[in-house]
Each structure stands twice: as structure tokens, then as C-alpha cells.
Amino acid sequence: MNVVIVGGGIAGVSTAAALRAGGFDGDLTLVDAGEFPYDRPPLSKDYLTGAKDLGRIALQPPQWYDEQAVRLINRTRVTGLRPGGVELQDGTLLPADRVVLATGGGAARPPIPGCERAHVLRTAEDADRLRAVLRPGARVLVVGAGLIGAEVASSAVDLGCEVVLADPVARPLAAAVGAELAAWLHERHAVRGITTVQAGVESFEDGAVLAGGREEFDAVVLGVGMVPETALAEAAGLRVDRRIVVNTGQVTSNPAILAVGDSARSRDGHWEAAQHDGARAAATILGAPPPPPAAPWFWTDRHGRHVEAVGHMAQADRTVLRGSFADPAFSVFGLRDGLVVAAAAVDDPNAVRAARRMIDRRIPADPARLGDPAVNLRTLLRP
Amino acid sequence: MTDGIRVAALDDVPEGEGIAIDKAIIGTEDNVALLRDTDGGLWALNDTCTHEDASLADGWVEDGYVECPLHSSKFCLKNGEVQGLPATRDTCPHRVEVRDGEVYLFPNQTP
């Protein structure tokens, strides 16, 4: 059997890895537009600040592709899905019994005058262009204070920039980490000297028009969301509803074509969710049982603090604080009907690791013990 | 060195957790994470995650692996093999022995 994976992000590479780990012994090809598949979370952090170069953020070392018998076709785009294969931009037709679309997404650019000149951050090339203007003293406007925007703002301050961070939402990430922690996280920007503005941007012409009027900036960065890349799928007649429509096995409306990652997911999720998509796609191709579902998890690093969240905080009907917001490390648990449904933590990652097991295994938790920092959370996992 | 280096008492390492042993004490290139599995087994790996600068001794230990506290890379306790992204490189295991409740480390020896 021939499998061709289109796209070398975490979803595509995870599909390849899971296929081989599951015993797939057919031909396996990964087509990627870049130099090699790399990890994207560092693009707004260590790669943007120059602490790590592209080689240091490779998703797999170069020899991995040989060791795993994965044929990597780099610096190439797939231009069409054809019966029995995929067509590359030079006209080559790669035979494929199964195609896995891992085409990711592009940065959203809202229809605001001058928006096309703003920086975005999806690729290493985007990060290279942005880094070139994040010089000490540069005045930078970051639009959007979610994960990418907050991380870029943090990195820009690290690089000596004067940063204005604009978002119309008072407490970005509140749905993911809860209102209190979201407010605390957003306040960290001001502590680092960032000016936060609760407003959208009306225009990017001649600087930017914010709530207080027109201001000049050396660079504007947009971190306002992602647009799934579905052009190949649409051209091939697959069902697309903003993202490529897939079933629980990642199969599209064409049984020979699967889709994973940002271009396909119908639910919320980040880096790990893309990895899980790849594992499910591989299981489908192998005819193996799908991996068990797991609560969504993400991390973000900003202003020297490591933040993690798991589950669905918006589902919680009460929260329990473990520690204090003034502590070096603390966490918040979200409960519903006596079960943990979410947790978010600052510099307390094992609280999230405990919580994700409580969620996935539906282990009831005593709120008083959850909230007592003296109680080892591991003991709450035991029957 | 045939008897190993006494580095801790077994009770110093709670089940499902780890402690870091300073490289200066044992003469290794990296600190060593002593990790106690959920079945009570004791293992030693280089302490620094091969993905980013994080201490595996602060990680989550369960069912034969340790999960990095920063980005959840997993490493096999027995042999240091990486079991999941974002880390891609194995880490170095070291042999440990427990004698009379004391933990002895044999740096750079295969378990």
C-alpha cells in the first residue's frame, strides 16, 4: 500500500510516526513545502528571539526519515488530488492508495484597511521577517492577546521592544483557563511594561487606528486566529465546512482520503490534538482500534511563566484554587457534578498531569483535598 | 566503583516521583534523575529533557515512563528511549541498585 501525507506539521509527521509504530510496511511519502518539518510552538518563543535556530526545532532529526523509511519530498507543494495519487507542482504524479491531508492553516487577516501589511506568525519565514523588525527600541503593536499574540508580545519585550497589545476581550483565554486566571495572566503583560489596550483596530493605514486615535508603529503583528487550508480538499470535491469534514477515524467524504490537524479538526485543540489526529488516522489505515479519547491540553510560555491547561474550563460549575495567585506555582481546577472537567496551572505542570488523568479516567475528587497544596495529587488518583 | 555510589535512601524517592542527583557528586555529564515508578521500581536517567531545559526529576512517573514537566515528552524508565514528541532523542539510562534501603548509582552503566 502507498500512503502519501500532504503537509509536514505535527499532524502529518505524527501520522507517519504512528503508521510505522503500528507496523505499517508499505510505501510512505511525506510532502512538505518547507526545508524540513519543524515544530511550530517555538516560532513565537525561542525561534523568534533567536535562542534556537531552525535545525533545533526540527520535528524529527534528519536520519529519522531514513530509519523509518519515510520518503520526504521537501520544498514542494501538492497541486491536486488525482484518482490514484497526488500531483506535485512540477507535474509529477505520486501514486497513493491513501492520502492524508495535513495541510494546516494560514493566519487569519481580518478585512481591515492595511491589514495585508501586518506581520503574521505561522511559518519560520514569517518569524524570520518579524524577527528582523523586533529590534531594541522598536515600537510594536500586537493585535490579539490569545496564545500567539501573548507569546509574541513577551518575546518582543525580551528583545527590547516597546509593545502595545490590543484585544477587544478583557480577559483573553477565559474560556480555556477560567476568568480569574485569565485576568491574572493578562495583567502579567503590564507588569512587564507592555501597554494593554482593550480595543480592536479600525485601520492599519499609516500606523494603526486604536481606540485612542492613530498611533505610529515600527511593526504590527496579527495574532487573531487561523484559517484552515482546505483548497486541495475543495478542489477534489471533498465535503468542507470551514474545515475538512472527517469522521471519528479522520476519513473525509472520500474513503481514500483522510485529513488531520488544523485543516480537519472539528473540535478545539492545539499541538497535542493534531498529534492525536495523526494517531487516529494511522489506526484507520492500519485497521487497528482507535486510541482512547483524551482531554484537550495545551501549554503557553510567556514572561518566564509556564502555563498549562487541560479539559474544558467552560464546562465547570465551580472552581477550586490550589495555592494562591501570589505563589510561585499554583493551579485552578474546574469541577462539574463532583468530577474534574478542567485544570489550569502556572508553573505547576504536574497538577495538570494529575487533572488530565482524573478527567480521562473519570475519577471523583474531593474539592477540599484538591485545593490543599499539602495533599499530593497523585494520592487522589488511587482508588 | 564496583559497589556504586550511595546517592540516596530509597525513602527519599516517593512513588511516582523523582529526585535529582547533582552531577558534581557523581561525576556525570548531566544531573541524574532518580525516578520511582508506580510499581515501586527505581530507575535513573539523565535529568535534562533532550527537548528543552527541564528536569525529568520534576516529571510525572507512571507505568514505566517519565513525562517531562514542560512539554510532556515521554521517556522509557528502563532504557531512556524517547516515546513521544516533542523530544526526538533518547536520554541516557544509568544502573541503580537498592541495598538495605539505600540507593547506589552506577554512572553510565547500562541497567
Side-chain angles (χ1 to χ4, degrees), chain A residues 170-203:
Chain A
R171 296 166 169 174
L173 295 184
V177 302
E180 274 187 296
L181 181 53
W184 185 90
L185 286 172
H186 198 54
E187 287 161 9
R188 293 316 95 196
H189 297 304
V191 172
R192 292 285 314 284
I194 292 172
T195 302
T196 53
V197 180
Q198 190 189 335
V201 179
E202 296 166 20
S203 170

Coordinates of all heavy atoms in Angstrom, one line a residue, chain A residues 170-203:
Chain A
A170 N -11.6 41.5 27.4 CA -11.0 42.0 28.6 C -10.1 40.9 29.2 O -9.0 41.2 29.8 CB -12.0 42.4 29.7
R171 N -10.5 39.6 29.1 CA -9.8 38.5 29.7 C -9.5 37.4 28.7 O -10.2 36.4 28.7 CB -10.5 38.0 30.9 CG -10.7 38.9 32.0 CD -11.7 38.4 33.0 NE -11.8 39.1 34.2 CZ -12.7 38.9 35.2 NH1 -13.6 38.0 35.0 NH2 -12.7 39.6 36.3
P172 N -8.6 37.6 27.8 CA -8.3 36.6 26.8 C -8.0 35.2 27.4 O -7.4 35.2 28.5 CB -7.1 37.1 26.0 CG -7.1 38.6 26.2 CD -7.7 38.8 27.6
L173 N -8.4 34.2 26.8 CA -8.2 32.8 27.3 C -9.2 32.4 28.4 O -9.0 31.3 29.0 CB -6.8 32.5 27.7 CG -5.7 32.6 26.7 CD1 -4.4 32.1 27.4 CD2 -6.0 31.7 25.5
A174 N -10.2 33.3 28.8 CA -11.0 33.0 29.9 C -11.7 31.6 29.7 O -11.9 30.9 30.7 CB -12.0 34.1 30.1
A175 N -12.1 31.3 28.5 CA -12.9 30.1 28.3 C -12.0 28.9 28.5 O -12.4 27.8 28.9 CB -13.4 30.0 26.8
A176 N -10.7 29.0 28.3 CA -9.7 27.9 28.5 C -9.2 27.8 29.9 O -9.0 26.6 30.4 CB -8.6 28.1 27.5
V177 N -9.0 28.9 30.6 CA -8.3 28.8 31.9 C -9.2 29.4 33.0 O -8.8 29.3 34.2 CB -6.9 29.5 31.9 CG1 -6.0 28.9 30.8 CG2 -7.1 31.0 31.7
G178 N -10.4 29.9 32.7 CA -11.2 30.5 33.7 C -11.0 32.0 33.8 O -9.9 32.4 33.5
A179 N -12.0 32.7 34.3 CA -11.9 34.1 34.3 C -10.8 34.7 35.2 O -10.1 35.6 34.8 CB -13.3 34.7 34.7
E180 N -10.7 34.1 36.4 CA -9.7 34.7 37.3 C -8.3 34.5 36.8 O -7.5 35.5 36.9 CB -9.8 33.9 38.7 CG -10.9 34.5 39.6 CD -10.8 33.9 40.9 OE1 -11.1 32.7 41.0 OE2 -10.5 34.5 41.9
L181 N -8.0 33.3 36.4 CA -6.6 33.1 35.9 C -6.3 33.8 34.6 O -5.2 34.4 34.4 CB -6.3 31.6 35.7 CG -4.9 31.2 35.2 CD1 -3.8 31.8 36.1 CD2 -4.8 29.7 35.2
A182 N -7.3 34.0 33.8 CA -7.2 34.7 32.5 C -6.9 36.2 32.9 O -6.0 36.8 32.2 CB -8.5 34.6 31.7
A183 N -7.6 36.7 33.9 CA -7.3 38.1 34.2 C -5.9 38.2 34.8 O -5.1 39.2 34.5 CB -8.3 38.6 35.3
W184 N -5.5 37.3 35.6 CA -4.1 37.3 36.2 C -3.1 37.2 35.1 O -2.1 38.0 35.1 CB -4.0 36.2 37.2 CG -2.7 36.1 37.9 CD1 -2.4 36.7 39.1 CD2 -1.5 35.5 37.5 NE1 -1.1 36.5 39.5 CE2 -0.5 35.7 38.5 CE3 -1.1 34.7 36.4 CZ2 0.8 35.3 38.4 CZ3 0.2 34.3 36.3 CH2 1.2 34.5 37.3
L185 N -3.3 36.3 34.1 CA -2.3 36.2 33.1 C -2.2 37.5 32.2 O -1.1 37.9 31.9 CB -2.7 35.0 32.1 CG -2.5 33.6 32.7 CD1 -3.2 32.6 31.7 CD2 -1.0 33.3 32.8
H186 N -3.4 38.1 32.0 CA -3.4 39.3 31.1 C -2.7 40.4 31.9 O -2.0 41.2 31.2 CB -4.8 39.6 30.8 CG -4.9 40.6 29.6 ND1 -4.3 40.3 28.4 CD2 -5.5 41.8 29.4 CE1 -4.5 41.3 27.5 NE2 -5.2 42.2 28.1
E187 N -2.8 40.4 33.2 CA -2.1 41.5 34.0 C -0.6 41.4 33.9 O 0.1 42.4 34.2 CB -2.6 41.4 35.4 CG -4.0 42.0 35.6 CD -4.7 41.5 36.9 OE1 -3.9 40.9 37.8 OE2 -5.9 41.7 37.1
R188 N -0.1 40.2 33.7 CA 1.4 40.0 33.6 C 2.0 40.9 32.5 O 3.1 41.2 32.6 CB 1.8 38.5 33.3 CG 1.5 37.5 34.4 CD 1.8 37.9 35.8 NE 0.6 38.4 36.4 CZ 0.6 39.1 37.5 NH1 1.7 39.4 38.1 NH2 -0.6 39.5 38.0
H189 N 1.2 41.2 31.5 CA 1.8 42.0 30.4 C 2.1 43.4 30.9 O 3.2 43.9 30.6 CB 0.7 42.1 29.3 CG 0.4 40.8 28.6 ND1 1.3 40.0 28.0 CD2 -0.8 40.2 28.4 CE1 0.7 38.9 27.5 NE2 -0.6 39.0 27.7
A190 N 1.2 44.0 31.7 CA 1.5 45.3 32.2 C 2.7 45.3 33.2 O 3.5 46.2 33.2 CB 0.3 45.8 32.9
V191 N 2.8 44.2 33.9 CA 3.9 44.0 34.8 C 5.3 44.1 34.1 O 6.3 44.6 34.6 CB 3.8 42.7 35.7 CG1 5.1 42.5 36.5 CG2 2.6 42.8 36.6
R192 N 5.3 43.5 32.9 CA 6.5 43.6 32.0 C 6.6 44.9 31.3 O 7.5 45.0 30.4 CB 6.5 42.4 31.0 CG 6.6 41.0 31.6 CD 8.0 40.6 32.1 NE 9.2 40.8 31.3 CZ 9.5 40.2 30.2 NH1 8.8 39.3 29.6 NH2 10.7 40.4 29.6
G193 N 5.7 45.8 31.5 CA 5.9 47.1 30.8 C 5.1 47.2 29.5 O 5.3 48.2 28.7
I194 N 4.3 46.2 29.2 CA 3.5 46.2 27.9 C 2.3 47.1 28.2 O 1.6 47.0 29.2 CB 3.1 44.8 27.5 CG1 4.4 44.0 27.1 CG2 2.0 44.8 26.4 CD1 4.1 42.5 26.8
T195 N 1.9 47.9 27.2 CA 0.7 48.7 27.3 C -0.4 47.8 26.7 O -0.4 47.4 25.6 CB 0.8 50.0 26.5 OG1 1.9 50.7 27.0 CG2 -0.5 50.8 26.6
T196 N -1.4 47.5 27.5 CA -2.5 46.7 27.0 C -3.7 47.6 26.7 O -4.0 48.5 27.5 CB -3.0 45.6 28.0 OG1 -3.2 46.2 29.3 CG2 -1.9 44.5 28.2
V197 N -4.3 47.4 25.6 CA -5.5 48.2 25.2 C -6.6 47.3 24.9 O -6.5 46.3 24.1 CB -5.1 48.9 23.9 CG1 -6.3 49.8 23.4 CG2 -3.9 49.8 24.1
Q198 N -7.8 47.5 25.6 CA -8.9 46.7 25.3 C -9.7 47.3 24.2 O -10.7 48.1 24.4 CB -9.8 46.5 26.6 CG -10.9 45.5 26.4 CD -11.9 45.4 27.5 OE1 -11.6 45.8 28.6 NE2 -13.1 44.9 27.2
A199 N -9.3 47.0 23.0 CA -10.0 47.5 21.8 C -9.5 46.7 20.6 O -8.4 46.1 20.6 CB -9.6 49.0 21.6
G200 N -10.3 46.8 19.6 CA -9.9 46.3 18.3 C -9.2 47.4 17.5 O -8.9 48.5 18.0
V201 N -8.8 47.1 16.3 CA -8.1 48.0 15.5 C -9.0 48.3 14.3 O -9.5 47.5 13.6 CB -6.7 47.5 15.0 CG1 -6.0 48.5 14.1 CG2 -5.9 47.1 16.2
E202 N -9.2 49.6 14.0 CA -10.0 50.0 12.9 C -9.3 50.1 11.6 O -9.9 49.9 10.5 CB -10.7 51.4 13.2 CG -11.6 51.3 14.5 CD -11.9 52.7 15.0 OE1 -11.8 53.7 14.2 OE2 -12.3 52.9 16.1
S203 N -8.0 50.4 11.6 CA -7.3 50.5 10.4 C -5.8 50.4 10.6 O -5.3 50.7 11.7 CB -7.5 51.9 9.8 OG -6.6 52.2 8.7

